[in-house]
Amino acid sequence: MEHVPNQQQCSLANHFSTVPRARGSLCRQSARNRVFLLSSLTLAIFFGLSGCSDKQSDGDKSLVVHSLTERAETVRLESEQSKALAIHKLEQTHRLENVQSSERLIAKSLAATQRSAKNVAINTHLVAAPIASDAWYGINQPERNRFEKRIQNGIMVAGEIPVSTFSIDVDTGSYSTLRRIIKEGDLPEKGTIRIEEMLNYFTYDYPLPNKNAAPFRVTTELAPSPYNDDMMLLRIGLKGYELNKSELGASNLVFLLDVSGSMASADKLPLLQTALKMLTQQLSAQDKVSIVVYAGAAGVVLDGASGDDIQALTYALEQLRAGGSTNGGQGIIQAYQLAQKHFIQGGINRVILATDGDFNVGVTDFDQLISLIEKEKQRGIGLTTLGFGMGNYNDQLMEQLADKGNGHYAYIDTLNEARKVLVDELSSTLLTIAKDVKIQIEFNPALVSEYRLIGYENRMLAREDFNNDKVDAGEIGAGHTVTALYELRYVETGGMANDKLRYGYNPQTGQEKYSREEIAFLKLRYQLPNENKSQLLTYPIRIDQNVKHLNQTSDDFRFAAAVAGFGQLLNHSHYLHQFDYTKLSTLTHSALGDDTFGYRHEFMQLVDTAAVLAQSNAAAINQSIAHGDKPFPPEDKLH
């Protein structure tokens, strides 16, 4: 007889066969185990009931069903508890997997961004790199500017080391970076200001050289030092001959432009674009212009366009966009290749590098870069560097690259500075009139006991380098002025910073070979741009040039002394004993002279602002010392 299960048995079987499935692998395995157990139990119940249907009474059947129902309920409860435990563990696992998954997604996103930046499409006409977002280089990146600290020149004894030798320098970047730092409410770090670049930022009324003579003329002036009461200040000035823009000749210019993501801010790429459009307005049909950009990869934007094709030049500059990392090394190689391709024999051949930072991709080895730049310099291709912005700025690298490339380094912080460098001073920016210019001065120990060169710390040369034409030195451009200052002490003054020698020449014996009319003998060597043999110029500096009072000197002398004094105060020089910001301000106000472009008045404003900042910093330090470890503001006392 066939057994037909009743309604209660069917419900019970249905209950065990419909166990919910848990989410995840752990729950699914637990559920499979439970279903297998319950399915076996259900079959056993079913067949057991079927087998005894003819032998057991209805009461027995009810007892069996009741017992099995209790057992099934127990199994169901255990199953629910196991399922809850499994779900709890699964949720923990999911949370961990979500974190790991998020980290993997972030890593993949960054990798994709980097790959995208490296694959920026660049063609021979224009570049449209993606505009950088804050996510690329961080919203609040810490300052990573690099300004090299230098140890200031010390006081030398003329009887021991009477000769001082150094290379000239026409860079101006240190002054304009200083100006930006002060205008942003801060002072530069101690020892990072190159005083010679402050001095040479300004023009002075030095006499021009005679025609058919040396390419520059030398001027000297001697007066009491404003820094120390018992010392003198000697100024040496050089002035190169001037040329109008129409007299420059043909130019082959290659703009090597950084369009990496960090150049997106208004004071970087947009300012650079405007500055170069101002420069191109000065060019003509005889000039050639090429543009190379670098941002993850380097590419050519313009290849030898005519200097009078203003539409093409302007369009190419306006299409530039900032995005990607910085492959400066590869860009330099392409820039020099274009400079060689369009080389103008007897003309100006120059690469102009414009960037806001360091070369962090590609040829990053400094020695390799210098070797490349020096090799191209020997072929007649110079390098000028223009700096923009702050945040990842490498002042040291920009200065040294220009030094090795027979060019000069300028920092562009405003549109006015761009006009000054690329319009008003275009002749001196582009055309070199003398190279490897060296200065050597020999002090007379009979009259001068000690001396100190102010600035030029990284331009010092060995004495024997002066006559060695293979030793590299600085270049001077058309219309450039170069200024150097020596502070010195006469023998008769006494009060030497160094002890007298026990042995050696004794000036009291009367046996001497020194002139009593000359305090020093100045020598200069230079090479013409297309020559490799130097020429010598000599100038005696006589004691009768000395004026009695500082206020009897020229405005240029006093202003140069103020500029150098400002730089020494910012560098915390310990050689200033009778000089401070109050005396600096007075000296500056007395030396403004004929300030056509307002640069000297701007300097005066910087001096007054720096004085307030220095006073504020000193007050903060004193307050910190006074409080010691006490909290500020003071905590309320408990009563």
Side-chain angles (χ1 to χ4, degrees):
M1 173 179 171
E2 182 180 1
H3 173 74
V4 178
N6 60 27
Q7 185 177 358
Q8 185 178 11
Q9 292 169 346
C10 289
S11 299
L12 181 62
N14 289 336
H15 175 80
F16 287 125
S17 63
T18 57
V19 177
R21 294 186 176 182
R23 290 177 297 123
S25 60
L26 183 62
C27 282
R28 284 194 297 269
Q29 183 176 358
S30 177
R32 284 196 297 266
N33 293 338
R34 295 297 179 182
V35 169
F36 175 78
L37 174 63
L38 296 177
S39 299
S40 300
L41 182 60
T42 304
L43 290 173
I45 294 171
F46 179 79
F47 288 115
L49 289 175
S50 300
C52 63
S53 57
D54 297 331
K55 300 177 183 179
Q56 292 180 332
S57 63
D58 291 338
D60 293 336
K61 291 180 181 179
S62 298
L63 181 61
V64 170
V65 169
H66 178 74
S67 174
L68 290 175
T69 301
E70 288 183 340
R71 290 178 62 186
E73 181 65 18
T74 301
V75 171
R76 186 186 67 80
L77 291 175
E78 290 177 355
S79 176
E80 292 294 333
Q81 291 174 354
S82 299
K83 181 178 73 174
L85 179 61
I87 291 174
H88 176 70
K89 290 182 179 180
L90 181 63
E91 289 174 347
Q92 289 181 323
T93 303
H94 279 181
R95 281 194 293 268
L96 178 60
E97 290 177 348
N98 286 338
V99 172
Q100 294 173 341
S101 176
S102 298
E103 291 175 347
R104 287 193 297 270
L105 285 173
I106 292 172
K108 289 180 179 179
S109 177
L110 288 175
T113 303
Q114 292 171 348
R115 287 194 300 271
S116 176
K118 291 180 179 179
N119 294 325
V120 173
I122 300 176
N123 58 35
T124 58
H125 300 291
L126 57 89
V127 170
I131 298 176
S133 64
D134 290 335
W136 169 249
Y137 51 91
I139 298 176
N140 295 313
Q141 280 283 353
E143 290 291 313
R144 298 187 301 273
N145 301 312
R146 284 175 284 281
F147 293 90
E148 183 185 19
K149 290 185 178 180
R150 290 181 172 85
I151 300 175
Q152 59 193 322
N153 293 323
I155 298 175
M156 312 303 293
V157 178
E160 298 177 25
I161 308 176
V163 178
S164 173
T165 310
F166 65 96
S167 163
I168 70 159
D169 181 21
V170 295
D171 295 341
T172 59
S174 194
Y175 177 75
S176 42
T177 54
L178 158 70
R179 176 175 61 200
R180 171 166 181 158
I181 292 170
I182 291 178
K183 285 185 176 181
E184 291 180 350
D186 205 353
L187 292 176
E189 193 174 355
K190 173 184 175 181
T192 60
I193 296 300
R194 294 185 293 275
I195 295 175
E196 66 275 12
E197 294 185 20
M198 296 181 64
L199 285 168
N200 295 326
Y201 180 87
F202 301 94
T203 57
Y204 305 94
D205 190 21
Y206 295 148
L208 290 169
N210 297 323
K211 290 185 178 180
N212 302 320
F216 52 84
R217 186 171 176 178
V218 179
T219 304
T220 59
E221 195 170 2
L222 182 64
S225 171
Y227 316 132
N228 299 284
D229 291 341
D230 59 345
M231 300 191 76
M232 304 294 291
L233 193 65
L234 171 64
R235 180 183 66 150
I236 301 171
L238 280 67
K239 174 70 173 181
Y241 67 77
E242 296 180 345
L243 285 178
N244 295 325
K245 296 168 186 173
S246 59
E247 301 176 288
L248 286 179
S251 299
N252 166 32
L253 305 180
V254 181
F255 300 151
L256 174 56
L257 310 181
D258 181 357
V259 292
S260 59
S262 61
M263 288 287 288
S265 61
D267 62 338
K268 296 182 181 179
L269 184 57
L271 178 59
L272 166 61
Q273 291 169 303
T274 304
L276 292 184
K277 283 189 283 186
M278 294 168 63
L279 188 156
T280 56
Q281 295 289 330
Q282 319 302 312
L283 304 179
S284 62
Q286 65 179 344
D287 303 315
K288 294 293 182 183
V289 177
S290 303
I291 300 178
V292 176
V293 297
Y294 60 95
V300 177
V301 178
L302 279 180
D303 188 344
S306 176
D308 65 346
D309 193 349
I310 300 300
Q311 184 176 2
L313 296 175
T314 301
Y315 180 75
L317 289 169
E318 288 180 347
Q319 295 306 306
L320 300 180
R321 297 292 184 270
S325 60
T326 309
N327 188 351
Q330 182 63 31
I332 278 187
I333 294 173
Q334 287 198 346
Y336 277 122
Q337 288 173 347
L338 284 181
Q340 294 169 16
K341 177 180 178 181
H342 302 289
F343 189 87
I344 299 176
Q345 193 68 36
I348 298 171
N349 298 277
R350 185 165 296 277
V351 173
I352 299 178
L353 166 64
T355 179
D356 74 328
D358 203 351
F359 300 159
N360 53 27
V361 179
V363 181
T364 58
D365 182 78
F366 179 73
D367 292 334
Q368 286 183 322
L369 285 173
I370 294 302
S371 177
L372 171 66
I373 291 168
E374 288 182 331
K375 181 179 68 175
E376 297 298 334
K377 176 181 67 175
Q378 298 302 321
R379 296 180 178 178
I381 302 173
L383 175 68
T384 293
T385 57
L386 303 177
F388 289 82
M390 285 287 172
N392 187 36
Y393 191 66
N394 194 333
D395 170 80
Q396 176 188 0
L397 179 65
M398 297 291 282
E399 186 260 346
Q400 293 188 15
L401 291 181
D403 178 28
K404 299 300 182 182
N406 275 10
H408 86 282
Y409 155 52
Y411 178 79
I412 310 297
D413 58 333
T414 64
L415 195 57
N416 284 338
E417 185 65 17
R419 190 204 72 240
K420 177 180 184 291
V421 174
L422 301 176
V423 179
D424 300 339
E425 300 174 358
L426 182 63
S427 297
S428 56
T429 299
L430 297 182
L431 180 61
T432 297
I433 62 174
K435 65 180 182 178
D436 293 338
V437 183
K438 308 168 187 174
I439 294 178
Q440 186 173 85
I441 184 167
E442 179 186 352
F443 290 97
N444 183 352
L447 297 178
V448 178
S449 60
E450 297 174 324
Y451 65 90
R452 176 174 67 95
L453 175 61
I454 301 174
Y456 293 92
E457 283 84 2
N458 68 333
R459 302 283 179 161
M460 302 301 294
L461 297 174
R463 179 175 174 178
E464 63 271 18
D465 291 343
F466 182 75
N467 294 321
N468 188 349
D469 289 344
K470 294 185 178 180
V471 174
D472 184 58
E475 283 64 45
I476 184 170
H480 260 149
T481 59
V482 179
T483 301
L485 296 175
Y486 280 93
E487 191 178 37
L488 53 91
R489 177 180 281 109
Y490 288 156
V491 170
E492 62 188 25
T493 304
M496 291 178 59
N498 297 277
D499 294 335
K500 291 183 178 180
L501 295 176
R502 179 179 178 86
Y503 304 102
Y505 172 76
N506 183 359
Q508 304 302 323
T509 63
Q511 297 178 358
E512 59 185 35
K513 60 179 180 179
Y514 307 110
S515 167
R516 288 291 180 174
E517 288 76 36
E518 296 178 5
I519 69 164
F521 191 66
L522 175 64
K523 298 188 293 185
L524 291 96
R525 281 198 178 274
Y526 70 94
Q527 298 177 22
L528 293 175
N530 297 320
E531 296 181 1
N532 294 319
K533 185 174 179 58
S534 67
Q535 302 184 39
L536 176 66
L537 301 174
T538 60
Y539 304 88
I541 301 174
R542 299 177 56 87
I543 193 170
D544 55 15
Q545 294 179 226
N546 181 21
V547 299
K548 298 295 183 182
H549 302 287
L550 183 62
N551 56 14
Q552 296 175 333
T553 60
S554 64
D555 289 340
D556 283 350
F557 182 96
R558 295 195 306 278
F559 187 76
V563 172
F566 188 31
Q568 292 175 89
L569 286 173
L570 292 172
N571 281 338
H572 300 264
S573 172
H574 49 267
Y575 294 123
L576 305 184
H577 298 293
Q578 282 86 38
F579 196 71
D580 54 22
Y581 277 102
T582 300
K583 291 185 177 181
L584 170 61
S585 180
T586 302
L587 182 61
T588 302
H589 282 71
S590 74
L592 296 177
D594 184 13
D595 188 23
T596 304
F597 294 101
Y599 298 130
R600 296 192 180 190
H601 282 77
E602 181 187 51
F603 174 83
M604 179 181 65
Q605 297 296 327
L606 290 180
V607 167
D608 293 342
T609 302
V612 175
L613 292 173
Q615 185 178 10
S616 175
N617 290 349
I621 292 172
N622 292 335
Q623 188 178 57
S624 176
I625 294 174
H627 281 88
D629 296 331
K630 297 178 182 178
F632 187 84
E635 295 177 351
D636 293 336
K637 293 182 179 180
L638 297 176
H639 298 287

